[in-house]
Structure formats: C-alpha cells, structure tokens
Amino acid sequence: MPVAQSQGGARPVEPIRPADVEDRTRSKVLAAVLEHGPVSAAELGDRLGFTPAAVRRHLDALSRKQLIEVKLVGNPSSGAGRPARRYVLSRRGQTELGTDYLSIAKAALAQLQEVAGPDAVEQFARTRFAEMETRYRPLVEAAGPDVEDRAKALASALTTDGFVGSTTVVGRNAPNAAMLAVQLCQGHCPVQELASEFPSFCDQETEVFSRLLGVDVRRLSTLARGGHVCTTHIPVGRVTPVPAGADTSGTEPTVSIHQQERPR
C-alpha cells in the first residue's frame, strides 16, 4: 500500500476506490441535469466529455434512484416530429439537493397563519423577497435598459443564490411569431416544499421579477406546483414583419418594445 511521509512517520494512503470515482462522476451528471435541464443525453455527453454509453449508464442509475426523470419536449419552432427525450430533476432529486430546516419553517409558518391569519404569511413572504429585490436591483440595472439583458442579469443573480437560473429567447426563429419573449427558468428551488404549502412565496417572487425587469411577467410553471422547472414568461417586444421577398440572411428580427413596459 502506498505511504505518505509526515512528522509522525509514514502513514498509509487510502487508495481511490472505483466506487468513489463512479459516485463523483454521477454527481457531476446530476449537477449538469440540474443546471441545464431539460437536457438530452447527447448534450450532457458533449458538456461533460463523456461517451454516450457512460452518460446513459449514469442517467439510468439516477433514474433508478428516482433523482431524475424524463420529460418529452416538442420542437417549438416547427411543432413537427416526435417529442424529444429530455432529463430533468425529479421532485425527490430537488428535495435531496437541499431542504434543510424546511420542516421547522413550515411548522413555524403554519402556526403564524393559525395565530395571525393568512395575511401574516403573505407579509412574511413579501418582506423576504423585498430583501432579494434590494440585492438584485443594482445587478439588473447595471445590465442596461434592454429587457433580454436584464433577464440574463437576473438569471445570473438567481444562480448565485442557488436557484440555477437560465434564459431562453422564444419566438426568434418561429415562422409565425409576432412576439419575442424570454423564458426565465429556475432549475432548483431551495424553498420548494415551503412554497408548495404557502403559494405566497411564488407570488411574491413573481412580483419582484416584474418590478426588476420593468414589464409584466407571467408564471408558466413552478416546481412547487409540480413543474419540472420554474418558468417565467417575459415579453421582450413585437417582431416587425419583414416584407415579402426581402433578403433576411444574416439579420436579426427587428423588435419594437413599445407598450411592453410595466405600468407605473
């Protein structure tokens, strides 16, 4: 057995067991599903540098442990073809990634609601997210007036706080799209179980997003209500129609953002 020298003499060095390597690799796959889900096996392989066989072995193992699940996703640009298989964290996977003290918090809020009524819980949630808004506002403002840039800055701030934020522009390549939008996704919710029982948390977070971005936003799904991710629809602007026969190669759609601002 290999030894390492120390002041107290030689001591055995524990060998790296294959099972430990396997567990660490599997944790990387799980983390990648969290960060990039819904994600395909091929995309995971490209991101992590694994062979397709290795990725599928780890995905199968995580599926057996009920930490991930398959979501069938259609093609939003064409709507044609069979839905693709994409991997996302399961409810159990979300729970195992961090719900410390949630049982205590749920009991405390339940007692608060019983003693002071549901308005007290809503006020508690409002106060909590007011602190988030204060911290995020300088970061979002620094991104400038463009809604898409502000959404990216918001996603980055959410990631720092453990929500695993990401943004996707929808409508840019769709043939009949009249409106561009950004979908802000959160792959993880540290207070998912809490928000499942007290929806005020999701409602107040949505209001904060709307104020930070300066537009009316709409929640499409939440982890707390059974969604695979929390998805917020953010209108960016109208696509200006391109005249028939015009050369559009190498150009981006023209966008008008009038009438998109949140009323003040």
Side-chain angles (χ1 to χ4, degrees):
M1 178 181 295
V3 296
Q5 298 294 328
S6 67
Q7 292 182 348
R11 68 176 187 275
V13 175
E14 290 291 332
I16 299 175
R17 298 177 302 172
D20 294 335
V21 176
E22 193 82 349
D23 286 344
R24 285 199 293 269
T25 303
R26 196 154 293 161
S27 295
K28 289 182 180 179
V29 174
L30 182 63
V33 173
L34 165 65
E35 182 175 0
H36 303 292
V39 62
S40 69
E43 290 168 340
L44 286 171
D46 290 341
R47 289 181 179 279
L48 299 174
F50 297 160
T51 65
V55 170
R56 294 199 177 278
R57 185 177 74 253
H58 291 301
L59 290 173
D60 289 344
L62 293 169
S63 295
R64 287 194 297 270
K65 292 182 177 180
Q66 299 181 342
L67 297 177
I68 63 173
E69 59 190 30
V70 173
K71 178 182 180 183
L72 298 180
V73 179
N75 189 328
S77 60
S78 65
R82 296 175 58 186
R85 291 167 59 88
R86 297 289 186 268
Y87 292 89
V88 297
L89 256 66
S90 65
R91 181 172 290 273
R92 179 176 178 180
Q94 291 283 346
T95 300
E96 292 199 5
L97 278 174
T99 55
D100 293 347
Y101 308 111
L102 281 183
S103 59
I104 299 174
K106 286 169 66 176
L109 286 176
Q111 185 170 355
L112 175 64
Q113 182 171 267
E114 182 178 349
V115 172
D119 288 346
V121 175
E122 183 174 348
Q123 180 58 44
F124 177 86
R126 185 180 295 112
T127 300
R128 179 188 185 276
F129 283 102
E131 183 272 336
M132 170 191 278
E133 183 175 359
T134 299
R135 288 191 296 110
Y136 286 6
R137 183 165 293 282
L139 303 175
V140 175
E141 294 289 346
D146 183 77
V147 177
E148 185 177 343
D149 290 340
R150 293 170 76 91
K152 290 179 181 178
L154 176 57
S156 178
L158 288 166
T159 296
T160 300
D161 277 355
F163 291 91
V164 192
S166 63
T167 59
T168 302
V169 178
V170 295
R172 178 164 288 165
N173 298 317
N176 299 317
M179 185 78 70
L180 284 179
V182 171
Q183 286 190 352
L184 171 65
C185 293
Q186 295 157 258
H188 180 53
C189 178
V191 294
Q192 178 181 340
E193 289 189 10
L194 201 62
S196 298
E197 192 164 331
F198 303 98
S200 294
F201 282 82
C202 293
D203 296 341
Q204 292 302 319
E205 183 182 64
T206 304
E207 283 295 314
V208 167
F209 290 175
S210 188
R211 290 194 295 270
L212 288 173
L213 298 173
V215 296
D216 286 315
V217 305
R218 180 163 55 94
R219 231 30 182 309
L220 301 182
S221 66
T222 63
L223 287 159
R225 296 172 186 171
H228 297 294
V229 293
C230 295
T231 304
T232 305
H233 179 88
I234 304 165
V236 174
R238 295 186 181 278
V239 178
T240 302
V242 179
D247 183 9
T248 60
S249 59
T251 62
E252 291 289 336
T254 302
V255 177
S256 169
I257 60 170
H258 73 283
Q259 296 181 341
Q260 291 297 309
E261 291 188 1
R262 176 178 173 83
R264 291 176 170 82

